[in-house]
C-alpha cells in the first residue's frame, strides 16, 4: 500500500490542483509511464483535461523529473477498470492520494494565513514604533474638547437640565 508521505513527496501543485506525475503514478501501479500515456491517448473522452493534463513546456522546465502527464486524484480514479490486475493497487493508492492532497492543501492554507498574520503584525509594530501606517485613521486627542462645540451649546445644556 502506498503511504501518504510517499505520495506527498511526489505530489505537485499544478494549475490550482494537487497532481501526481505520470512516472510516480505508473510506479505505484507497477506499469511503465509510456503505457499510462498510451492508455490516456487511447481513451481521450474518458480523461478530461481538468483531471489529467499534459504539462506545458514551461511547467516541465520548472519540474525536475519533467513529466508529460499529471493526474489529479479524480484523474487517477478514472483508471479504474482500464488496468486489469492493477485495481487493488489503485484502490489502495486513492486513499493515500486523498490524504496527501489534504495535507498539501492544508499546508497552502496555513501558509496563506501565516502570511496575512505577518502583514498585520508588521502594521502593529510600525504603529507601536510611531511610524506612519498607510490606511490608519488620523490621530485625534483623547477626551472632551470644548473648542469643537458650537458657541453657546454648554449654556443651553445647563439651562435644559435646570428647567
Amino acid at each position: 500500500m502506498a503511504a501518504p508521505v510517499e505520495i506527498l513527496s511526489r505530489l505537485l501543485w499544478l494549475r490550482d490542483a494537487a497532481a501526481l506525475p505520470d512516472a510516480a503514478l505508473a510506479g505505484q501501479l507497477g506499469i511503465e509511464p509510456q503505457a499510462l500515456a498510451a492508455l490516456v491517448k487511447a481513451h481521450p473522452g474518458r480523461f478530461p483535461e481538468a483531471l489529467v493534463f499534459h504539462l506545458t513546456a514551461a511547467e516541465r522546465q520548472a519540474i525536475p523529473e519533467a513529466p508529460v502527464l499529471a493526474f489529479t486524484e479524480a484523474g487517477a480514479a478514472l483508471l479504474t477498470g482500464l488496468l486489469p490486475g492493477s485495481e487493488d493497487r489503485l484502490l489502495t493508492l486513492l486513499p493515500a492520494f486523498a490524504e496527501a492532497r489534504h495535507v498539501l492543501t492544508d499546508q497552502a492554507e496555513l501558509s496563506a494565513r501565516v502570511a496575512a498574520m505577518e502583514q498585520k503584525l508588521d502594521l502593529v509594530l510600525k504603529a507601536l514604533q510611531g511610524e506612519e501606517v498607510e490606511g490608519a485613521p488620523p490621530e485625534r486627542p483623547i477626551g472632551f474638547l470644548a473648542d469643537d462645540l458650537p458657541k453657546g451649546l454648554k449654556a443651553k445644556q445647563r439651562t435644559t437640565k435646570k428647567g
Side-chain angles (χ1 to χ4, degrees):
M1 181 173 147
V5 174
E6 184 179 339
I7 299 296
L8 182 61
S9 67
R10 296 180 177 170
L11 210 57
L12 304 172
W13 191 259
L14 296 168
R15 302 180 194 175
D16 293 330
L20 196 59
D22 53 3
L25 181 60
Q28 291 293 324
L29 297 175
I31 61 172
E32 291 295 318
Q34 294 83 5
L36 195 58
L39 190 63
V40 170
K41 189 175 183 178
H43 303 284
R46 185 171 183 148
F47 298 100
E49 183 70 20
L51 303 178
V52 178
F53 42 88
H54 293 271
L55 274 65
T56 63
E59 289 170 334
R60 274 191 245 134
Q61 286 179 347
I63 302 167
E65 296 172 359
V68 176
L69 291 171
F71 289 80
T72 64
E73 181 183 350
L78 292 173
L79 292 169
T80 306
L82 292 179
L83 294 170
S86 296
E87 285 89 3
D88 291 340
R89 282 186 254 169
L90 186 60
L91 293 176
T92 57
L93 171 74
L94 291 176
F97 196 127
E99 190 174 333
R101 179 181 45 83
H102 286 298
V103 168
L104 190 64
T105 53
D106 287 347
Q107 183 181 15
E109 181 182 311
L110 182 61
S111 177
R113 289 176 64 191
V114 166
M117 289 179 72
E118 285 176 342
Q119 286 178 343
K120 288 179 182 178
L121 181 61
D122 189 40
L123 289 175
V124 169
L125 288 174
K126 284 181 179 179
L128 288 174
Q129 292 171 350
E131 296 178 25
E132 274 195 38
V133 179
E134 289 183 32
E139 276 193 38
R140 296 186 327 186
I142 298 174
F144 178 74
L145 297 176
D147 298 339
D148 290 349
L149 296 176
K151 290 189 179 207
L153 185 61
K154 278 184 132 184
K156 288 179 187 175
Q157 287 176 344
R158 278 190 227 124
T159 57
T160 312
K161 287 183 183 178
K162 288 182 183 179

